[in-house]
Amino acid sequence: MIEHVPSGTRAESLVVVSNRLPYNLPHAPGSRPPRRNVGGLVNALEPALAQYGGAWIGWDGNPLPSGAAVAEALARPLVFRTRSRVELHGVPLSEREVSLYYHGFSNRALWPLFHDFPGKVAFSPEEWSVYERVNRRFAEAVALRTGPGCRVWVHDFHLMLVPRLLRELGFRGPLNFFLHVPFPAPEIFRALPWRSEVLEGLLGCDGVSFHVGQYRDNFVGSARQLSGARSVGFGPEGSVMLRHRTGETAVSAVPIGIDVEDFERIARKPEVEARARRIRDCLGGCRMLFSADRLDYTKGIEERLAILERFFETNPDAVGRVVLVQVVVPSRHQVEEYRMLKREIDRKVGRINGLLGREGWMPVHYRYRALDREELVAHYRAADVLLVTPLRDGMNLVASEFAASRVDGHGALVVSEFAGIAERSPGALLVNPYDVDGCASEVRRALEMDPEEQRTRMAQLRERVRANPLRRWVERCLESGRRDSPRGSVRTDAPGLALPDGCEPVA
Ligand code: GDG
């Protein structure tokens, strides 16, 4: 699947930087089979990089026992290449760094703050200082592998200091950032003790992009109120141009898309269609509600189970005739809060099944593992209704994947108004996941929707998803940097990236 290549063998045009690589890399060539990571960011970026060629820099997924082991790994970098010819450069992290930078500052401070859960936020100066140190290590890894002509694209909340640090290390090429999670309102963001450093970090970019206009406006508001930045007009892709202490940055809303054709191709495979029929057969004629989420409190899984329970209370005729198939992909199990969440979900599923289940019928079919891609698409095809009810979600790819997979034009979608995808889902039933009764009645409405209405709504959804393929998202994000700057000029006459030649990898 992936092969080891000698370091520094290839010029790179696009360098993507994210916390995790798409694979957990072995520490030595051939020592352990690589494992693909499941998640929105990986699914979004891997096809994009495969298309354009280039390198991906990120943590290799293996915590090292000590700082000395990190120094050793830094001295002997390993480079791997995927089947789609993307070079993977691992950034080594020690166990302590993973604990403080990743599980600590990223997941216990930034994640809840950015998802509007201030009550769950835990700030620690020690975790912050390790976050800074790790961001510096990433910036140094990028600086080593990029020449002046390279375009660098940094991703997500784990690495918000990298752009500024990279500039300080002398990188003058085009530099973009995409935030995959929401950016909170200024009155929430200002609670972060290191808010100035984070804003300064991001303002090192030519272009900073968010999924939707609300997050863009929140960032612009924060930068104006807390950093003294000024809006000086509009740039490409409807971006707001911010002028600040160190230059100008274009801030834009560019909703992520998916690889629509790939989902359609998988959905049309005869074996996937057959598998979808078998899934339905196993449910013995019951109507199927379906959800698939990473284990996370933002995804509203516990709340969904409460909605299901209320649905059965208020619709006793559905008992024995409707089931929820709930896939939960394990995530962040090193964090105690996530282990507690898992236990609570297990308990609630057990309670509902124990209370309502009967011979031959269980209301909740619960899978605590990642399905493979074809199996996931078969579930999308088998479902009557997809429930996407996060309490907060940057975008949510599952909703788009469902629409792309419904090549038969059927299926209904229920979407939380607190997910970025809500404003891009014209055919969905929008719900407030905190309103249990309202959600339960929308579940009923989705199940009872007549086929004509279902087809019309699904056609609207599919049209919207098809209008925003992943490739377009990449192009738009990378075009949202400054055009008037010598370091950030972007041509528009080539498909995808138009990059100057001469990107010499150094390491
Ligand atoms: C972050 C933001 C934003 C799910 N179950 C299985 C499986 N998945 C895949 C889906 C989808 C991905 O995981 C989940 O994407 P989401 O968008 O729901 O969420 P996050 O991982 O939280 O991603 C999010 C995203 O970044 C992109 O910007 O939309 O708001 O939080 O692609 O297909 N994949 C497989 N088996 C499963 O059982 N193979």
Side-chain angles (χ1 to χ4, degrees):
M1 193 186 296
I2 65 173
E3 57 175 352
H4 172 244
V5 291
S7 182
T9 53
R10 181 169 174 237
E12 295 143 336
S13 49
L14 173 64
V15 177
V16 164
V17 193
S18 69
N19 171 56
R20 290 294 288 274
L21 287 170
Y23 297 88
N24 271 21
L25 295 183
H27 267 157
S31 66
R32 183 149 58 92
R35 193 165 44 82
R36 195 171 190 280
N37 296 315
V38 170
L41 195 145
V42 162
N43 287 354
L45 283 176
E46 203 187 10
L49 252 183
Q51 186 181 347
Y52 296 119
W56 191 328
I57 295 177
W59 178 43
D60 57 22
N62 302 301
L64 295 171
S66 63
V70 169
E72 204 177 300
L74 282 170
R76 284 190 282 107
L78 287 179
V79 183
F80 291 81
R81 186 181 290 150
T82 68
R83 211 167 19 189
S84 46
R85 323 243 8 112
V86 174
E87 281 190 7
L88 305 175
H89 299 258
V91 176
L93 297 179
S94 70
E95 281 164 3
R96 182 167 178 276
E97 285 166 340
V98 173
S99 164
L100 300 185
Y101 141 81
Y102 179 65
H103 300 304
F105 196 73
S106 298
N107 290 337
R108 295 197 311 131
L110 294 174
W111 178 267
L113 189 75
F114 280 36
H115 284 87
D116 296 345
F117 286 89
K120 289 188 186 285
V121 170
F123 293 134
S124 145
E126 190 189 14
E127 289 174 357
W128 161 255
S129 80
V130 176
Y131 179 85
E132 262 188 313
R133 183 167 83 214
V134 169
N135 269 248
R136 186 170 296 282
R137 186 170 309 145
F138 270 79
E140 284 165 0
V142 178
L144 269 174
R145 286 169 181 83
T146 46
C150 286
R151 176 176 287 273
V152 175
W153 193 13
V154 183
H155 287 262
D156 229 358
F157 61 100
H158 317 87
L159 301 176
M160 291 190 290
L161 309 182
V162 167
R164 165 73 48 226
L165 293 168
L166 198 51
R167 291 291 187 219
E168 284 170 12
L169 289 168
F171 178 71
R172 293 283 167 268
L175 178 48
N176 287 74
F177 183 92
F178 190 88
L179 188 72
H180 290 260
V181 299
F183 194 91
E187 53 273 23
I188 294 209
F189 179 72
R190 68 187 314 137
L192 180 67
W194 304 280
R195 61 200 190 189
S196 303
E197 289 85 339
V198 166
L199 289 170
E200 291 290 306
L202 293 174
L203 291 173
C205 288
D206 300 298
V208 177
S209 307
F210 302 88
H211 284 301
V212 297
Q214 184 196 42
Y215 314 155
R216 174 201 57 205
D217 296 345
N218 286 344
F219 177 78
V220 168
S222 297
R224 289 172 55 175
Q225 290 173 29
L226 304 168
S227 264
R230 285 187 300 127
S231 314
V232 291
F234 297 96
E237 294 296 336
S239 53
V240 176
M241 293 304 297
L242 279 183
R243 185 165 298 155
H244 47 85
R245 203 174 50 79
T246 51
E248 284 186 2
T249 299
V251 187
S252 55
V254 188
I256 196 167
I258 59 164
D259 190 343
V260 185
E261 283 167 13
D262 197 43
F263 277 94
E264 291 186 342
R265 183 186 58 76
I266 297 172
R268 288 202 167 94
K269 283 185 171 183
E271 59 271 30
V272 171
E273 290 184 336
R275 176 67 190 131
R277 278 194 298 276
R278 274 206 308 285
I279 292 168
R280 306 254 354 169
D281 291 347
C282 289
L283 300 180
C286 287
R287 309 293 304 283
M288 175 177 162
L289 308 170
F290 180 55
S291 290
D293 312 86
R294 248 187 341 93
L295 178 72
D296 204 291
Y297 53 85
T298 60
K299 301 289 183 184
I301 304 168
E302 285 184 89
E303 290 75 7
R304 191 174 308 136
L305 293 169
I307 291 164
L308 186 75
E309 209 172 339
R310 185 66 54 85
F311 167 75
F312 284 121
E313 272 164 29
T314 48
N315 297 280
D317 58 321
V319 171
R321 297 174 53 217
V322 174
V323 301
L324 169 67
V325 178
Q326 173 69 64
V327 173
V328 176
V329 178
S331 178
R332 303 179 190 173
H333 51 268
Q334 294 87 341
V335 180
E336 173 57 18
E337 175 149 25
Y338 285 72
R339 289 199 296 271
M340 275 167 52
L341 174 63
K342 157 82 169 52
R343 284 197 292 273
E344 203 43 41
I345 292 170
D346 291 353
R347 197 183 67 74
K348 286 203 160 83
V349 169
R351 207 176 73 81
I352 297 175
N353 281 344
L355 274 177
L356 297 175
R358 52 173 75 159
E359 203 177 303
W361 179 76
M362 276 297 152
V364 188
H365 294 221
Y366 172 42
R367 321 251 186 283
Y368 180 64
R369 61 171 185 274
L371 310 179
D372 72 35
R373 177 68 77 92
E374 291 198 356
E375 183 72 359
L376 180 66
V377 174
H379 279 75
Y380 288 149
R381 286 222 48 183
D384 291 294
V385 178
L386 180 80
L387 299 180
V388 176
T389 56
L391 305 178
R392 195 79 176 126
D393 212 337
M395 177 55 80
N396 194 288
L397 297 176
V398 170
S400 301
E401 293 168 3
F402 173 66
S405 302
R406 293 315 294 247
V407 287
D408 59 343
H410 290 286
L413 175 62
V414 175
V415 162
S416 160
E417 60 191 70
F418 302 119
I421 192 68
E423 66 176 59
R424 308 195 50 77
S425 302
L429 301 181
L430 292 193
V431 295
N432 168 2
Y434 295 98
D435 173 8
V436 178
D437 288 296
C439 287
S441 75
E442 288 302 279
V443 169
R444 168 116 212 166
R445 187 174 156 211
L447 283 167
E448 287 185 341
M449 195 182 282
D450 72 63
E452 197 45 47
E453 182 180 352
Q454 214 179 91
R455 257 196 302 277
T456 309
R457 286 175 175 271
M458 185 48 78
Q460 290 173 328
L461 280 166
R462 286 179 51 73
E463 193 184 321
R464 185 59 68 94
V465 171
R466 296 186 86 175
N468 187 33
L470 191 61
R471 174 194 172 88
R472 186 164 151 64
W473 170 70
V474 175
E475 288 171 0
R476 289 186 64 204
C477 282
L478 295 177
E479 296 226 344
S480 73
R482 291 167 55 192
R483 285 168 192 243
D484 56 345
S485 151
R487 72 178 188 207
S489 80
V490 178
R491 277 166 36 201
T492 52
D493 57 340
L497 300 171
L499 296 172
D501 292 324
C503 309
E504 289 301 328
V506 181

